Amino acid sequence: MFSAEELDVKTTQIKAQGLLSEPSNQEEEEVERIERATCSYSYESERFLLKERSFSRQYAQIYAVRIMAMRKKLAAAARRKWGNRFEIKKKLAEVKGNEKCVLIGTLFKKMELKPCILKEISEEHNLMPQPSRVKYADDSDELVIEDESERVALTGNIPVGTSVTGTIVALCGHTTESGKFHVDEYCFSGLPYQTSPNLDQCLTKGEDRYVALISGLGFGSESQDMLSLQMFSDLVTGELGSVQDQESCAKISHVIIAGNSLSQCTQTKESETKAKYLTRNTVAGSVEAIKSLDDFVLQLAACVPVEIMPGEFDPANHTMPQQPLHRCMFPQAAAYSTFQSVTNPYEAVIGGVRVLGTAGQNVNDIFKVSTFEDRLEILEHTMKWSHIAPTAPDTLGCYPYYEKDPFILDKCPHVCFVGNQPKYQSKTIQGENGQKILLITVPTFSNTKTCVLLNLRTLTCHPVSFSASLSTQQDNSTSDEEMEL
């Protein structure tokens, strides 16, 4: 038997031997590794890829193609709402007298405040340049319906403020003595047919899979918060948080960067402020920003599949649909098979769930030319209109299509997101035939420090916010770094 003092000495010797012993061989020990979750992926954005780029055609053809492609859908929606009580006219020219009927056509909104290049360059009437506005909608706006034959002014029960040019609509009413068409009721085509999600086997077993949605990284800005971006990268790659956090982050199977990876300040041309002979050897601000973006995407692509979309401020074509950013801009990330540069709009089937999204130009443009104040409500209406970007090509630049309109919704998505919005919002809407769509507004990360995690199994989402602030405590005069997840 040992005394208490002898036991203390013995314990101290054992601890000392443990501290002074040789390091164990890590190859012999079993190291617990967390595997990255995977799910199936199918790229469905081929219709947004341009096979040829000819701008010699007129834009009137895209409206003709749009109405021809959607006329049957609107006729079916009109029969579901009004039955066979009223005749559906094939053309506006067939309307006679005070006959009550149904018209199908394209809405056009006359807006006096809408920017017009002819007004700005006109010297004949000595017009002053129009100031930039947040909203171009006004109480004096008027609606017109048109098709291939003619154009008719509208009056009656139809909201002017929330209507936008380019929307295909079915109107029930009659012609007035003044020649206008008085609208009693109206309807849109509604949500298209939706197939049930063909979930992967892992999802049907109850295993979660997440898609991280982020937009508006803002590389190239002087006020860019690199710490928050690094925290997002560390979260996805599993270098942030406890073991439980790493196990949760390992379930992120895809990362989608939804446009505006570069800041708007990178578009500023030196030639605007300096003489031409002083700008020959200068380097554009976007060059260094792209290098930093490549370094950032490289960290993600080394661990998880990454899809990057172009945005309004990125070095891509300005008109919709925007083509993928060239892979030569990403010499490091492009070496990984997990990196993919995609179009804007973007559509894919991830884990059996159809996901559709844009970088935000379509919603932002509708916000300007309408009285909508809620961006999520605008996104909901684009689904009901069955068209992603109805204001193209009126106020939103787009390619002059003449055989098809790729922005028409032929297949109903399960998830629809829009990037570069002021704040995070989400909502699930339902159609007449049981369709369900999860709508998501992804906030601008450079302003909100927030991304969105989409759960493919439950079709739900939640925001994740990053904040790094140094707060000085009066008691011990130390700084604490706080992270909010």
Side-chain angles (χ1 to χ4, degrees):
M1 299 292 294
F2 295 99
S3 62
E5 295 180 357
E6 293 176 341
L7 285 174
D8 292 339
V9 173
K10 201 74 174 179
T11 303
T12 304
Q13 292 177 352
I14 293 175
K15 290 182 179 180
Q17 291 175 0
L19 291 174
L20 298 176
S21 62
E22 296 182 359
S24 59
N25 189 357
Q26 296 183 356
E27 295 180 356
E28 297 178 357
E29 296 183 357
E30 293 184 1
V31 179
E32 183 179 356
R33 300 182 63 181
I34 302 175
E35 297 292 336
R36 172 71 58 179
T38 60
C39 60
S40 62
Y41 178 83
S42 175
Y43 187 60
E44 303 286 336
S45 303
E46 287 80 7
R47 72 179 189 274
F48 300 122
L49 293 173
L50 297 178
K51 297 180 181 179
E52 60 175 344
R53 305 192 184 189
S54 174
F55 291 88
S56 59
R57 307 182 187 95
Q58 295 293 325
Y59 280 99
Q61 186 64 23
I62 191 174
Y63 288 113
V65 171
R66 185 180 302 177
I67 191 172
M68 285 189 295
M70 299 189 65
R71 181 176 276 120
K72 291 183 179 180
K73 297 181 181 180
L74 267 299
R79 292 189 183 95
R80 288 195 302 267
K81 185 169 185 177
W82 300 305
N84 296 322
R85 292 180 295 166
F86 312 108
E87 181 184 359
I88 300 178
K89 299 296 184 180
K90 294 183 179 180
K91 293 184 178 181
L92 300 182
E94 297 179 358
V95 180
K96 298 179 181 179
N98 198 24
E99 175 189 11
K100 191 168 185 178
C101 60
V102 175
L103 298 182
I104 297 176
T106 307
L107 286 181
F108 177 79
K109 192 173 182 179
K110 293 183 178 180
M111 306 177 65
E112 291 296 329
L113 300 181
K114 184 176 67 175
C116 179
I117 188 62
L118 296 179
K119 291 182 179 179
E120 293 179 3
I121 65 174
S122 176
E123 298 179 356
E124 182 179 355
H125 301 287
N126 296 322
L127 295 177
M128 296 295 292
Q130 296 183 4
S132 59
R133 297 174 179 268
V134 178
K135 288 277 193 178
Y136 297 110
D138 189 72
D139 295 337
S140 61
D141 297 341
E142 298 178 357
L143 285 180
V144 170
I145 188 172
E146 63 179 11
D147 62 3
E148 304 93 330
S149 60
E150 65 178 24
R151 173 181 288 190
V152 179
L154 298 178
T155 184
N157 186 27
I158 183 170
V160 179
T162 56
S163 299
V164 296
T165 298
T167 308
I168 309 298
V169 64
L171 306 176
C172 180
H174 61 277
T175 305
T176 62
E177 296 181 356
S178 60
K180 296 183 178 181
F181 189 82
H182 185 276
V183 180
D184 296 326
E185 296 179 275
Y186 64 94
C187 72
F188 303 105
S189 62
L191 303 181
Y193 176 75
Q194 184 185 58
T195 58
S196 300
N198 187 18
L199 299 180
D200 288 358
Q201 187 176 3
C202 59
L203 297 175
T204 57
K205 290 182 178 180
E207 300 179 12
D208 291 331
R209 293 291 185 270
Y210 292 94
V211 175
L213 303 173
I214 188 171
S215 66
L217 304 181
F219 278 92
S221 174
E222 295 180 357
S223 60
Q224 185 182 19
D225 185 2
M226 292 300 300
L227 180 57
S228 298
L229 275 173
Q230 189 61 48
M231 291 170 67
F232 168 79
S233 176
D234 292 343
L235 177 70
V236 174
T237 57
E239 299 179 6
L240 188 67
S242 62
V243 177
Q244 292 77 9
D245 295 328
Q246 294 174 1
E247 291 177 351
S248 300
C249 296
K251 298 177 182 178
I252 299 177
S253 60
H254 279 267
V255 174
I256 300 177
I257 303 176
N260 284 0
S261 300
L262 268 60
S263 172
Q264 185 179 6
C265 65
T266 60
Q267 294 185 329
T268 303
K269 299 179 180 179
E270 293 291 341
S271 58
E272 295 178 358
T273 57
K274 294 183 179 180
K276 187 175 182 180
Y277 64 89
L278 294 176
T279 60
R280 289 183 178 179
N281 297 324
T282 58
V283 179
S286 58
V287 175
E288 291 299 325
I290 281 291
K291 290 181 180 179
S292 301
L293 175 62
D294 186 25
D295 294 336
F296 173 77
V297 177
L298 173 64
Q299 300 178 38
L300 300 175
C303 299
V304 62
V306 179
E307 288 81 44
I308 183 168
M309 300 165 53
E312 182 181 1
F313 308 135
D314 295 327
N317 58 301
H318 178 73
T319 57
M320 300 286 287
Q322 288 185 295
Q323 300 305 287
L325 298 172
H326 203 284
R327 295 178 65 87
C328 69
M329 300 180 187
F330 306 92
Q332 301 180 90
Y336 289 84
S337 60
T338 52
F339 171 80
Q340 186 176 13
S341 183
V342 298
T343 61
N344 173 34
Y346 161 79
E347 186 172 13
V349 178
I350 308 175
V353 177
R354 183 171 293 275
V355 179
L356 174 67
T358 69
Q361 293 98 318
N362 57 334
V363 171
N364 295 337
D365 189 68
I366 295 175
F367 177 82
K368 293 179 180 179
V369 297
S370 67
T371 56
F372 285 115
E373 296 295 338
D374 189 356
R375 307 298 180 100
L376 193 64
E377 187 178 1
I378 296 176
L379 185 59
E380 180 180 356
H381 274 73
T382 59
M383 296 294 102
K384 294 180 179 179
W385 294 333
S386 195
H387 201 279
I388 303 174
T391 56
D394 181 49
T395 53
L396 180 64
C398 81
Y399 181 77
Y401 289 96
Y402 67 99
E403 292 181 346
K404 64 175 182 179
D405 185 354
F407 304 113
I408 297 175
L409 285 181
D410 293 326
K411 298 179 181 179
C412 187
H414 303 109
V415 178
C416 184
F417 69 88
V418 56
N420 300 289
Q421 299 305 302
K423 62 180 179 179
Y424 160 79
Q425 291 177 288
S426 66
K427 178 182 181 181
T428 300
I429 61 173
Q430 296 186 1
E432 298 178 354
N433 299 320
Q435 306 99 319
K436 289 185 179 181
I437 306 179
L438 173 63
L439 306 178
I440 307 173
T441 59
V442 184
T444 302
F445 189 85
S446 59
N447 297 333
T448 63
K449 311 299 184 292
T450 301
C451 69
V452 180
L453 289 183
L454 165 65
N455 191 327
L456 297 175
R457 182 180 65 86
T458 61
L459 289 184
T460 57
C461 62
H462 64 273
V464 179
S465 299
F466 303 87
S467 64
S469 59
L470 298 177
S471 58
T472 304
Q473 298 182 359
Q474 296 180 357
D475 298 337
N476 52 11
S477 299
T478 59
S479 298
D480 297 332
E481 184 177 332
E482 300 177 356
M483 183 183 66
E484 180 180 357
L485 294 178

